[in-house]
């Protein structure tokens, strides 16, 4: 059952970053944001990235220097393109909580903007242990469907999907 819920094994993702590079890449949200933003042709310039993500030129230079040095991004004919297209952080990584936290903070900022096009959902429920497994399995299948749609989708904008479903129990 646990193997079925392990997304890394289901997606068959190869390790592409050393632990040292993972520490940098997952330290802040904008590394992965720049990485994926570069899949969209109109955002393959430094000026467009700075404007879209509201980053300073100095910060973007540091980000790009790192991404280029690792091969995640390639500079080609005065434009920036993705070198390594798929990166996945496994459930066993000590950086996983940092990565998720970074994007949850972005979700909170999205809530503060009150953009009607954004979708946020929270539900506190009580249910059986058997149904928890059913729901988790469905979520994994939906994530696979999501990834297959994204894989074949034309790159036009940058979106973030976060999905939280967890026990609220704090003690033993």
């Amino acid at each position: 059952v646990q193997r079925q819920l392990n997304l890394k094994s289901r997606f068959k993702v190869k390790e592409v970053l050393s632990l040292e590079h993972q520490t940098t890449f997952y330290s802040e949200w904008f590394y992965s944001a720049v990485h994926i933003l570069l899949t969209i042709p109109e955002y393959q310039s430094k000026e467009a990235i700075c404007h879209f993500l509201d980053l300073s030129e100095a910060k973007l230079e540091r980000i790009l220097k790192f991404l280029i040095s690792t091969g995640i991004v390639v500079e080609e004919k005065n434009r920036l393109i993705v070198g390594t297209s798929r990166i996945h952080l496994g459930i066993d990584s000590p950086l996983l909580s940092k990565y998720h936290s970074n994007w949850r903070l972005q979700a909170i900022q999205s809530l503060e903007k009150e953009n009607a096009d954004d979708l946020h959902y929270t539900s506190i429920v009580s249910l059986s242990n058997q149904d928890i497994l059913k729901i988790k399995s469905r979520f994994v299948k939906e994530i696979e469907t999501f990834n297959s749609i994204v894989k074949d989708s034309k790159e036009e904008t940058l979106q973030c999907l976060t999905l939280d479903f967890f026990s609220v129990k704090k003690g033993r």
Side-chain angles (χ1 to χ4, degrees):
V1 173
Q2 286 297 67
R3 178 147 169 74
Q4 289 178 317
L5 297 177
N6 184 333
L7 299 177
K8 187 176 180 180
S9 65
R10 289 179 77 106
F11 300 155
K12 298 178 178 88
V13 178
K14 297 176 185 172
E15 296 292 334
V16 294
L17 292 175
S18 68
L19 184 56
E20 178 185 351
H21 288 147
Q22 286 179 22
T23 302
T24 300
F25 186 82
Y26 294 109
S27 67
E28 299 185 77
W29 66 273
F30 44 74
Y31 287 99
S32 54
V34 170
H35 173 225
I36 300 305
L37 190 60
L38 288 174
T39 65
I40 306 169
E42 67 188 272
Y43 298 107
Q44 293 177 340
S45 72
K46 293 176 184 177
E47 299 78 24
I49 297 167
C50 285
H51 180 74
F52 189 93
L53 296 176
D54 194 26
L55 295 174
S56 70
E57 289 181 32
K59 183 170 234 170
L60 180 61
E61 283 297 328
R62 284 195 318 272
I63 296 164
L64 289 174
K65 182 178 178 182
F66 169 79
L67 294 175
I68 291 169
S69 74
T70 59
I72 294 171
V73 170
V74 177
E75 206 163 4
E76 185 179 276
K77 299 178 186 173
N78 291 331
R79 67 185 187 123
L80 299 157
I81 60 171
V82 172
T84 303
S85 61
R86 179 121 173 124
I87 299 172
H88 181 83
L89 194 59
I91 194 169
D92 56 343
S93 173
L95 302 169
L96 190 62
S97 64
K98 178 68 173 165
Y99 178 67
H100 285 299
S101 297
N102 287 338
W103 283 105
R104 295 317 185 274
L105 291 172
Q106 293 306 304
I108 291 168
Q109 288 182 3
S110 171
L111 282 165
E112 292 169 352
K113 291 179 186 175
E114 297 182 1
N115 183 343
D117 291 335
D118 290 343
L119 177 65
H120 300 279
Y121 179 77
T122 301
S123 178
I124 306 301
V125 298
S126 61
L127 69 164
S128 71
N129 290 323
Q130 183 179 1
D131 288 338
I132 290 172
L133 186 56
K134 286 180 190 175
I135 291 170
K136 284 182 178 180
S137 294
R138 288 195 63 172
F139 282 156
V140 168
K141 288 178 185 170
E142 286 304 316
I143 291 168
E144 288 175 332
T145 300
F146 169 84
N147 282 332
S148 70
I149 292 169
V150 169
K151 180 182 168 204
D152 297 331
S153 183
K154 181 179 180 200
E155 294 86 358
E156 296 175 339
T157 188
L158 190 64
Q159 295 285 132
C160 177
L161 170 69
T162 58
L163 176 66
D164 299 308
F165 182 67
F166 57 92
S167 171
V168 183
K169 183 178 180 184
K170 301 294 182 199
R172 291 180 192 233

